[in-house]
Each structure stands twice: as C-alpha cells, then as structure tokens.
Amino acid sequence: MSGLVMPEADAATMARRAEIVADMRIIVPGEGVVETVNEMRAFETDGLTAYRQLPLVVVLPETTAQVARILKYCNERNVRVVPRGSGTSLSGGALPLEDAVLLVMSRFNRVLDIDYANRAVIAQPGVTNLAITHAVEQDGFYYAPDPSSQIACSIGGNVAENAGGVHCLKYGLTANNVLGVEMVLMSGEVVRLGGSHLDAEGYDLLGLMTGSEGLLGVVTEITVRILKKPEAARAMLVGFSSSEAAGQCVADIIGAGIVPGGMEMMDGPAIRAAEDFVQAGYPLDVEALLIVELDGPGPEIDHLIGEVEAIAAKNGAVTSRISTSEEERLSFWAGRKAAFPAVGRISPDYYCMDGTIPRKALPTVLAGMRQLSQKYGLGVANVFHAGDGNLHPLILYDANNPGELEKAEEFGADILRLCVKVGGVLTGEHGVGVEKRDLMGEMFSDTDLDQQMRVKCAFDPQHLLNPGKVFPQLRRCAELGRMHIHRGQIPFPDIPRF
Amino acid sequence: MSGLVMPEADAATMARRAEIVADMRIIVPGEGVVETVNEMRAFETDGLTAYRQLPLVVVLPETTAQVARILKYCNERNVRVVPRGSGTSLSGGALPLEDAVLLVMSRFNRVLDIDYANRAVIAQPGVTNLAITHAVEQDGFYYAPDPSSQIACSIGGNVAENAGGVHCLKYGLTANNVLGVEMVLMSGEVVRLGGSHLDAEGYDLLGLMTGSEGLLGVVTEITVRILKKPEAARAMLVGFSSSEAAGQCVADIIGAGIVPGGMEMMDGPAIRAAEDFVQAGYPLDVEALLIVELDGPGPEIDHLIGEVEAIAAKNGAVTSRISTSEEERLSFWAGRKAAFPAVGRISPDYYCMDGTIPRKALPTVLAGMRQLSQKYGLGVANVFHAGDGNLHPLILYDANNPGELEKAEEFGADILRLCVKVGGVLTGEHGVGVEKRDLMGEMFSDTDLDQQMRVKCAFDPQHLLNPGKVFPQLRRCAELGRMHIHRGQIPFPDIPRF
C-alpha cells in the first residue's frame, strides 16, 4: 500500500511527494525510507498522545553523510524536516507535519568510544539514555541525567529537550553533562561543537543546541561526561502535615548548602494513590512526603542525614524514616516511580503539567494550586522534583464529563502562569513543543522572542527545521528588521506548502 | 585639556567626535564621561599590556536605562562600542578602538540581593568576583569560580570571558555558576535571560552570552549561584621524576572518578623558581609537582587522600606530603600562587600561554612542549590547572635579544597548534580577544566560523559591538549568504569609520 497520506491533495502535490520519496530512496538505500500509511502510523505521535499527524515520508538515515545529503536536498527544494529520536517527548516536539520529511535517528544506535581518562563516552544520537550507563557500569561509572523514560528515550532526544530526571538536582541537566556534538546544519554543512575538553573559544553553540528542540540542526554524534557511581546512597522518607511545610523544608535544606542526590515530593492524593497501588510503606496520615536521597561516601551520608533531620524537625516533620538497606531504599522509590500510573487508577484522566519555580516560592505556589483546584472544582495530585523546583502537578478530570478537558487545560495554563508570576518558567524538562507554544508570550516579551527568532534565523533562515514548534508565531526573518531571505518570499510555516 | 585623541583627524571627524561626546554627556550627566587624553590613559589597555589604544571617549553609565540609551544612540548613528569591566582580561578583549565609545561598567558596583533559599546572589556587573564571596562568607557561603585576578576582576568581565580558576575543576567555570543576566542588545532593547530557577524554555541565550567577549550585548545585572563552603580542605604535594608521569597521574585520578577541589601542576623550572622566591617547602629534586586539594567532610577527605596516594604510587611518585594544618595547606598553595612572579625573577621576560587539552593527552603535550623548547632554544616553565587540562606554559625569553620575542610568539603558537592537534582548544579561560584571533582558523573550519558569525549577526548585524575581537575576519552579514543589512552597506569593521 503506497502512501496516500494526503487524500485531498491534488495531482501536482502527489507528484511532488513521489519525487521526494524517490530521491530519499536514492540517498538512503535499503530499508531506510518508510512511506506507507500503515508503517508511518508508528511515527504519528510522541509521548504526548493528544496530537497525531502522519508525515510526508519517514526517512531513517544511517550515516552523517546521509543526514547531510537529506538536509541539503530539503534546503534546496524548500522541503520541511522534523527530526525525531525515540519519540518519547511530552510536548509534541517530535510531532510530524503532513508536508515534512520525518527524519528518524534510531539507526544511529552505536556507542562509539568509552574514554575513562577523560571520563567521556561518545555515542550516536539513537543510543538510549540507559544504554550509556550500561556500557560503563561494569567499571563503576554511569551517566547521570535519568529521565523517567530512560529505558526508551534517545540521548539525541535528551540533547534536543535538555532532559532532566531525579538526579539532575545534584548532577545537572543534559546541558551540564554533554561535552560535545557533531551536528548537521539545515544547509547540509557539518559542524563540531565542543569536545572532550573543558571549554571552547568561540560562542557556546553547544549550549545553544542543547534544548533547542530540533529547530537549529540535527545532532549526529554526542560526547557525554560520565561519573563514578557514588559509593553508597541512603534515602529518607519525611512526612509533613502540609505541602507548604514540606516546601519550606526543601527550601531550607538547599538554603543550608546541602545538595541531595534527589529530593522528591508527593502530596496527600499522590501518597495515598501510590501506597494503594504498590504498598511502599508510605505514611497515610500526612499531607506531604519528601523522599530525600543522600549519596557519596558513607560517613558523609551519615553526617548529612543528621543535618536534614534537624531541618525537617524545625519545619514540623511528623514522621521520618531512614533506609537501612538497599532494598528499603528501593522500596522508598518504588512508590514515587509508580505515582503516575497510581494516579491513573484514582481518576479517569489526568493532565501532567511541567513548570519550574525558584525553590523558595514552593510554599506560595503549592498554596496557589490549592486555590485553583477549588476554583476549577478539579483535584490535583502533586508529584515532583522538589529539590530543583520542577513541578509535575497532575490535574484529575474525566474526559467523559462535557467541558472537563477544557477546564483541566485552563487549570494547567493557570498553574504555569502562576509559575511565571513567582519568577519561574513554563517548563522544566519536557520542552515547549506544540503544547506550550502559545504560552510563550506569558514568559517572554516580544523583544525576547524576536531575539530568539533572530538566532533561529541564523541557523535556518527558511524555517524548514521543525517549524510550528516552540515559537508562538514564526515571523519571516525579514520581518525581524535586519535580515532577509534570498530566493524570494517563503510562506508562513503554519501553512502546508503542498 | 580636551580630548585631542586623533591628531591627524580632519575637521569633520573632530566635529563628529565632539557631537558624540556632547550627546554622551546628555545621556550620562555628571562625572560619567571621560574624554581627555590624560584621563583616558587609564583605559588604554587591559591585562595584556602588549596592546595599547586610546578610545574615542570613555563613558561610565550608572543605570540600565543609560546603557540602553547609549547603545540605541550608537546603533542609530553607526558608532562602535567596546564594553569593559575592570580591564584585567589577558587577551586584549577590552582593548579600546580609536573610533569607538568605551563603555566602562565599573559604576555598576552594588550587590542587589542575597537569597540563601535559592542559593543565589544578584549583583551588578562591576562588582568584583571576590566581593560576592565577601557578601556571603559570614553565613558560610562563597562564589566558586576564582580567577587569579579575583580581587580586581569584575563579575561582568567574568561572564564575558567565561572565567575559570583553581576550583573550576570541581565547581565549574563561570558558565556553570551563572543563573541569569539582564542585558542590553545593541538596539537598546533590554532582555532578561535565565533567573534563579533551574532551566528556561527557549534557546539557551544565557549560555551563549557567557564567554561571548562583549560581542553580543552588554550585561547590566547578573544572578550567580553561591555554594556552601566545604567543611574542610587538605592539600597534598606529590613529586615525580618527569612531567609525563605527573600528567599520567592526573589522568588516572580523574579516570578513577575522583574530582579534587583543585589539581595544579608545576614542572622543574617552575618548582625551583617558586621555592627560591617564597620557600614553600617544595622538593627540589623532582621534575614535576602536583598540588592536589581535596575538600568536603573530613571522613570523605581522608578516604580520597588514600585513593590519590595509591594512584600516585602506581605512577612512580617519588615524594608525597599531606597538609596537617590549615597553615601548611596555605603554604603549599603559596608557591603556586607566586609562580608567575617567581618565573619573572629567573627570566627577563616571559610569555604566558593558555590552551586546553583533553586530560589524557597531558603526557603527549608535555613531551611535545619539551621538543619545541629545544627547537626554539627557549626555556619553558609549566604552571597550570592540570586537573581540567588547562595549560599555562610560560615561555622564557629576553626581549633585548633581537628576534627572541618573535621566536617566543611562534613557540607559543606552536604550543596552541599542538593543543588543537590532540583534540584540545586554543584557550582555557583567557578568551580569544585580539591575541588569538588569527589562530581561530587552526581550530575552526570556515563552516564553523560562518555559523558563529551568523549568530553574531543575529545580535549585532552592523558589527558595532567590540569589533575586531575574537573573529579572524569579519564578513558582512550579507556575505554569509542569507541575511542583509538594512540602511545600505556598512564598511568593514577593521577600517576606522571617522
């Protein structure tokens, strides 16, 4: 069955598509071009399943040279391109466009070099996050950023989204653990940014690429920093009678200069849902629970546990338990890791938000969220990376009740507006994608957005790379007042071209 | 005495200068405009005293609004601007241009906010690096990056150069410790990048700004992360019979996953010069000395010292001493800190280079440097941040011997080429400025440089901000193939405009 993906397309459009597909088959011979509707279904969405779209064609290159030829081809013929890793993103960043080539990097799946002297691993972008740790763990090392999807998500996707995880509080986001990349510009030119050394002269294009959500270039090789596994780790469960008290405890722990390996928080609804689901041994008579993990040499852990206990007591902690074995530590985490599906058991639907706030604003935002919950008449369960202020409120609703989905979305947007109001931002680790594109104006002024767009224009002046993502409104580069596009005008990217 | 800085200028040029000076006096009333030759002498160079140039006029604004008005004015009238902090840079980055306004940020000298809950300090860019630590040390905190010039250098200059220091091995460069900035674009528009939260959606313009050497915008406020002071610190002195063995020991320590607070290396000539100067108690019968500082809780330090000793022994260490008191720890550092002036006592002149290499290449590069020393017939003393591969070779020469200066410069360039050859870069923490501008082609391809220049064009399409620095050859934005400048052509920045 051939790719009749545009049932209403005219003959000229179909002919142009056929030409592109044929040219892609020349660039990527063998199994690397997927064009039937059935086969392309596997690529029509990402982890945010609310959005679905079939691409023009799916191409799975195997070499940097092929990626360069594809991008050069598309650049010259004004064809849009959406890059994609494993497709686990949560904001629609890898969502296909019906008139765009979907460039899937999953065949770039090899670990190329392990270099302990420089504490670096070189991997292709399709390697999963966890596979990097697997490649070095027998020698006592690991790759620190650990998004929940780490078994499936690709390191290339991690770079695109600047992925985080439970341990990014102490060990940093992807941006803090990537040393270098090879990337292909939309023009087909190949550049190398960074390397396995400390710093590079010239502009920090490596940092710019990290978190750019596939709008600036396609990464074809990544050098990451690996860390030695901590000698030991112990976790504490600390219960509070209010989320505000737990939030203040988090702010005080960080304010005291302690940086736990992880510091997660769950509120009453999340605690009870998780305990009911996996029996982690959580206290059921508290309204907030902190899981604080301390790692390092044993004596350091003992010392820090004492400090954390004192701060918790000062903030009115009502329960406190410290893991005494590796099994107990893992059981403390089991509830947290099962919290999302657990919430799924108590509510027909939930909407997961992702915002970040300055840590000291935690009590304010938690109180504000409670007020919003009353205003909208919808429950909210909070499960989040408290230590770094990255909230994941789960808004509970029932899509079968007319209007509840819309209420949930409006509730979510209000939470993000509250995050921005206290000095935070619209996202923590899930990206902007299509989901939060229209909220960017809440965070950024027109001046800010114009400047970001000028940077985009410096990489991809025709807006061919992942258009329609991140920016609320793409302006032609010419409209930014200082640049224009050769080859005449281009249509706005929101309008399919053929 | 008025500012007769351009003795050969014609009347029209002098009239235009007078008009700019008068307009600057309107924007910055009072003492904020300096235009006499005598007064401007204080600003004619930076820490790299080989270059001297008087500016058109010196302006010292006090508010962001004044900076915005100055840049807007200059942008509209095609006047160049060179931003400057304390002027301690070592690559000529703050060197004035005869036709440019020198924008000195030293009156932005206030610490605006101390926020322990978010572990952040907000400071104006003219605040010195050390003053930030002074503002928080009574509460047990400090600001980690510690360039040698920290008593004088400004935090704004640190952002511009992405400054490092002894402790950046463990605690990161400036880029890893800056959370947010307020900056003024050349257009006069004010943008805020980052904040006191974890991460921001949108492009990482904050990372891009850090290390951009004053070519993208003028920073008017900076939020930095502060750290809790380590509970304790102990230093080790480990001697080796060759630099190669010491270099291998450094690579092995890092390869084992140990990250010392600082790990510095000195070779034979530097050891003997320092010992002769300050009597630090260094062994004189070794050819290389490592100073390894371990910080953290006491038990962790004891544990790590044992590991480092074992690695050192495996690499043939011939002497090893561990500090037993704070006084002894400081005496270990006294020789290292006095090494530059100490080398100045044994050679009439020296030329300090700054390159960075992957750590595992240390033995190779040290051996290569010895060969180059023989080839050029010039001595070299090595004093450097070994832990992060940041070399500071001091080339010894006598400027009174004809041709020796040129030989020293060629020797230095060869060392940097060697750094690039082994996968390193041309600079570590001193920037490119004017000093290394012409070596950028050794490191970057034309494609790389074009892409960096496109990013520059996205911020400052007329090349008015700090022109002639960093890039070997400024191309008109239009020449990059995809942008052009409104208002017609602009002259090349290397040609003074009036």
Side-chain angles (χ1 to χ4, degrees):
Chain A
M1 177 168 126
S2 187
L4 283 171
V5 292
M6 293 181 288
E8 292 169 32
D10 60 24
T13 300
M14 291 304 291
R16 182 158 185 220
R17 175 179 185 273
E19 184 190 333
I20 292 169
V21 169
D23 290 336
M24 289 297 124
R25 289 201 187 282
I26 293 168
I27 298 174
V28 185
E31 305 296 305
V33 176
V34 170
E35 61 150 332
T36 68
V37 171
N38 275 353
E39 288 177 307
M40 294 202 300
R41 286 271 176 238
F43 302 98
E44 70 177 349
T45 188
D46 66 359
L48 185 77
T49 49
Y51 304 84
R52 292 185 181 277
Q53 174 62 52
L54 284 173
L56 180 72
V57 59
V58 178
V59 184
L60 299 102
E62 279 188 297
T63 67
T64 300
Q66 288 175 352
V67 174
R69 284 186 66 192
I70 293 165
L71 293 185
K72 185 167 189 291
Y73 172 95
C74 291
N75 200 42
E76 288 170 354
R77 282 171 181 74
N78 209 20
V79 178
R80 295 167 180 179
V81 177
V82 175
R84 180 186 172 100
S86 297
T88 57
S89 54
L90 287 168
S91 56
L95 193 70
L97 298 174
E98 69 167 323
D99 64 346
V101 170
L102 187 71
L103 189 68
V104 178
M105 299 298 287
S106 54
R107 293 165 93 190
F108 279 76
N109 58 3
R110 287 183 301 127
V111 172
L112 301 175
D113 187 43
I114 296 172
D115 176 356
Y116 290 119
N118 287 319
R119 283 222 328 263
V121 167
I122 304 179
Q124 291 188 311
V127 171
T128 66
N129 173 294
L130 199 58
I132 294 178
T133 290
H134 283 162
V136 297
E137 64 185 352
Q138 73 279 8
D139 295 305
F141 286 83
Y142 76 115
Y143 176 64
D146 55 347
S148 298
S149 55
Q150 68 181 140
I151 194 168
C153 63
S154 69
I155 189 68
N158 289 182
V159 170
E161 302 290 326
N162 193 15
V166 167
H167 287 91
C168 66
L169 169 60
K170 183 166 182 178
Y171 298 104
L173 296 158
T174 302
N176 309 110
N177 291 277
V178 169
L179 299 170
V181 299
E182 174 189 80
M183 67 176 267
V184 184
L185 301 173
M186 191 63 213
S187 61
E189 295 166 300
V190 179
V191 296
R192 295 193 77 92
L193 310 175
S196 54
H197 44 68
L198 173 70
D199 186 36
E201 66 278 9
Y203 295 133
D204 180 16
L205 300 188
L206 176 60
L208 186 67
M209 271 303 292
T210 310
S212 62
E213 304 196 27
L215 274 75
L216 300 185
V218 176
V219 168
T220 47
E221 184 194 291
I222 299 164
T223 305
V224 298
R225 183 174 62 179
I226 51 172
L227 299 178
K228 196 179 183 186
K229 267 200 231 173
E231 284 178 38
R234 292 173 73 189
M236 305 172 64
L237 283 185
V238 191
F240 296 86
S241 55
S242 76
S243 288
E244 289 78 357
Q248 188 59 49
C249 183
V250 167
D252 287 352
I253 289 170
I254 298 292
I258 299 166
V259 186
M263 183 151 53
E264 299 284 305
M265 182 165 159
M266 299 166 70
D267 68 1
I271 297 165
R272 288 181 279 275
E275 183 61 20
D276 189 48
F277 187 29
V278 298
Q279 292 86 44
Y282 291 170
L284 293 174
D285 54 348
V286 300
E287 286 308 312
L289 188 67
L290 292 183
I291 310 174
V292 184
E293 181 160 296
L294 299 157
D295 60 12
E300 180 183 355
I301 295 177
D302 294 342
H303 172 81
L304 291 176
I305 281 178
E307 289 200 32
V308 170
E309 281 187 312
I311 294 170
K314 190 171 68 75
N315 280 287
V318 293
T319 68
S320 179
R321 274 176 64 198
I322 300 160
S323 69
T324 54
S325 67
E326 184 64 5
E327 291 65 36
E328 194 172 17
R329 183 181 76 84
L330 294 175
S331 80
F332 285 4
W333 282 112
R336 165 64 183 89
K337 291 189 176 173
F340 281 32
V343 167
R345 294 170 77 232
I346 61 166
S347 176
D349 300 283
Y350 69 84
Y351 180 40
C352 172
M353 298 308 297
D354 171 47
T356 305
I357 55 173
R359 277 177 294 247
K360 75 172 170 186
L362 271 173
T364 310
V365 170
L366 292 170
M369 234 185 274
R370 198 184 323 283
Q371 287 174 352
L372 288 170
S373 173
Q374 283 164 3
K375 172 182 162 189
Y376 284 101
L378 293 178
V380 61
N382 268 300
V383 182
F384 53 76
H385 309 314
D388 43 23
N390 183 196
L391 313 177
H392 289 320
L394 306 177
I395 298 170
L396 313 180
Y397 72 100
D398 184 345
N400 286 329
N401 292 344
E404 275 206 7
L405 169 61
E406 294 70 24
K407 272 208 291 186
E409 288 185 343
E410 191 50 38
F411 186 178
D414 274 357
I415 290 173
L416 295 181
R417 289 187 188 101
L418 178 59
C419 289
V420 172
K421 195 176 150 199
V422 301
V425 289
L426 296 171
T427 178
E429 55 192 6
H430 296 177
V432 175
V434 293
E435 186 199 22
K436 294 177 183 173
R437 187 183 61 177
D438 296 331
L439 285 167
M440 288 283 275
E442 300 281 337
M443 175 76 204
F444 292 114
S445 69
D446 283 350
T447 305
D448 294 336
L449 289 170
D450 282 353
Q451 187 53 40
Q452 296 202 27
M453 188 57 66
R454 284 186 201 107
V455 172
K456 160 73 171 173
C457 291
F459 283 80
D460 172 28
Q462 299 186 86
H463 293 318
L464 294 174
L465 258 179
N466 215 6
K469 315 293 172 68
V470 180
F471 291 104
Q473 185 192 0
L474 280 178
R475 271 161 263 207
R476 271 173 257 186
C477 292
E479 293 186 349
L480 294 166
R482 294 176 181 132
M483 311 171 192
H484 84 151
I485 310 299
H486 287 313
R487 291 190 259 250
Q489 305 298 352
I490 55 161
F492 279 93
D494 280 345
I495 307 164
R497 242 83 65 90
F498 56 87
Chain B
M1 177 168 125
S2 187
L4 283 172
V5 291
M6 292 181 287
E8 293 170 31
D10 60 23
T13 300
M14 292 304 292
R16 180 154 187 222
R17 175 178 187 273
E19 184 190 331
I20 292 170
V21 170
D23 290 336
M24 288 297 125
R25 288 200 187 284
I26 293 168
I27 298 175
V28 185
E31 305 295 305
V33 176
V34 171
E35 61 150 332
T36 68
V37 171
N38 274 351
E39 289 177 306
M40 293 202 300
R41 286 271 176 237
F43 301 98
E44 70 177 349
T45 188
D46 66 0
L48 184 77
T49 50
Y51 304 84
R52 291 185 181 279
Q53 174 62 54
L54 283 173
L56 180 73
V57 59
V58 177
V59 184
L60 298 103
E62 279 188 298
T63 67
T64 300
Q66 288 176 352
V67 173
R69 284 186 67 192
I70 292 165
L71 292 186
K72 184 167 191 289
Y73 173 95
C74 291
N75 200 41
E76 287 169 357
R77 283 171 181 74
N78 210 20
V79 178
R80 294 167 180 179
V81 176
V82 175
R84 181 186 173 100
S86 298
T88 57
S89 54
L90 287 168
S91 56
L95 194 71
L97 298 174
E98 69 166 320
D99 63 347
V101 170
L102 188 71
L103 190 67
V104 177
M105 299 299 287
S106 53
R107 293 165 93 189
F108 279 75
N109 58 3
R110 287 182 302 129
V111 172
L112 300 175
D113 187 42
I114 295 171
D115 176 355
Y116 290 120
N118 288 319
R119 284 221 329 263
V121 166
I122 304 178
Q124 291 187 312
V127 171
T128 65
N129 173 295
L130 199 58
I132 294 177
T133 290
H134 283 163
V136 298
E137 64 186 354
Q138 73 279 8
D139 295 305
F141 286 82
Y142 76 115
Y143 175 65
D146 54 349
S148 298
S149 56
Q150 68 181 140
I151 194 168
C153 64
S154 69
I155 188 68
N158 288 182
V159 170
E161 302 291 326
N162 192 15
V166 167
H167 287 90
C168 67
L169 169 60
K170 183 165 182 177
Y171 299 104
L173 296 158
T174 302
N176 308 109
N177 291 276
V178 168
L179 298 171
V181 300
E182 175 189 78
M183 67 177 268
V184 185
L185 301 173
M186 192 63 213
S187 61
E189 294 166 299
V190 179
V191 296
R192 296 193 78 92
L193 311 175
S196 53
H197 45 67
L198 173 72
D199 185 37
E201 65 278 8
Y203 295 133
D204 180 17
L205 300 187
L206 176 60
L208 186 67
M209 271 303 293
T210 310
S212 62
E213 303 196 28
L215 274 74
L216 300 185
V218 176
V219 169
T220 46
E221 185 193 291
I222 300 164
T223 304
V224 298
R225 183 175 62 178
I226 51 173
L227 298 179
K228 196 179 183 186
K229 268 200 230 173
E231 283 178 39
R234 291 173 74 189
M236 304 172 66
L237 283 185
V238 191
F240 295 86
S241 54
S242 76
S243 289
E244 289 80 357
Q248 188 58 50
C249 183
V250 167
D252 287 352
I253 289 170
I254 299 293
I258 299 166
V259 185
M263 182 151 54
E264 299 284 303
M265 182 166 158
M266 300 166 70
D267 67 3
I271 296 165
R272 288 180 278 276
E275 183 61 21
D276 189 48
F277 187 30
V278 298
Q279 292 84 44
Y282 289 169
L284 294 174
D285 54 349
V286 300
E287 286 308 312
L289 188 68
L290 292 184
I291 310 174
V292 185
E293 181 159 296
L294 298 158
D295 60 14
E300 180 183 356
I301 295 178
D302 294 343
H303 172 82
L304 291 176
I305 282 178
E307 289 200 29
V308 171
E309 280 187 314
I311 294 170
K314 190 171 68 76
N315 280 288
V318 293
T319 68
S320 178
R321 275 176 63 199
I322 300 160
S323 68
T324 54
S325 67
E326 184 64 6
E327 292 64 37
E328 194 172 16
R329 184 182 76 86
L330 293 175
S331 80
F332 286 4
W333 282 112
R336 165 64 183 89
K337 291 191 176 172
F340 280 32
V343 167
R345 294 171 76 232
I346 61 165
S347 176
D349 299 283
Y350 68 84
Y351 180 40
C352 172
M353 298 308 298
D354 171 47
T356 304
I357 56 173
R359 278 177 294 248
K360 73 171 171 188
L362 271 172
T364 310
V365 170
L366 292 170
M369 235 186 272
R370 198 184 322 283
Q371 288 175 352
L372 287 170
S373 173
Q374 283 164 4
K375 172 181 162 190
Y376 286 101
L378 293 177
V380 60
N382 267 301
V383 181
F384 54 76
H385 309 312
D388 43 24
N390 183 195
L391 312 178
H392 290 319
L394 305 176
I395 298 170
L396 313 181
Y397 71 101
D398 184 347
N400 286 330
N401 292 343
E404 274 208 7
L405 169 61
E406 293 70 23
K407 273 208 290 186
E409 287 184 343
E410 191 49 40
F411 186 178
D414 273 357
I415 290 174
L416 295 181
R417 288 186 188 102
L418 178 59
C419 290
V420 173
K421 196 175 148 199
V422 300
V425 289
L426 297 170
T427 178
E429 55 193 6
H430 296 177
V432 174
V434 293
E435 186 199 23
K436 295 178 184 172
R437 187 183 60 177
D438 296 332
L439 285 167
M440 288 283 276
E442 300 281 338
M443 175 76 204
F444 292 114
S445 70
D446 283 350
T447 305
D448 294 336
L449 289 170
D450 283 353
Q451 187 52 41
Q452 295 201 27
M453 188 57 68
R454 284 187 200 107
V455 172
K456 160 74 171 173
C457 291
F459 282 80
D460 172 28
Q462 300 185 88
H463 293 320
L464 295 174
L465 258 178
N466 215 7
K469 315 293 171 67
V470 180
F471 291 103
Q473 184 192 1
L474 280 178
R475 271 162 262 208
R476 270 174 257 187
C477 291
E479 293 186 348
L480 293 166
R482 294 176 182 133
M483 311 173 193
H484 83 152
I485 310 298
H486 286 313
R487 290 191 259 249
Q489 305 298 353
I490 55 161
F492 279 93
D494 280 346
I495 308 165
R497 241 82 64 91
F498 56 87

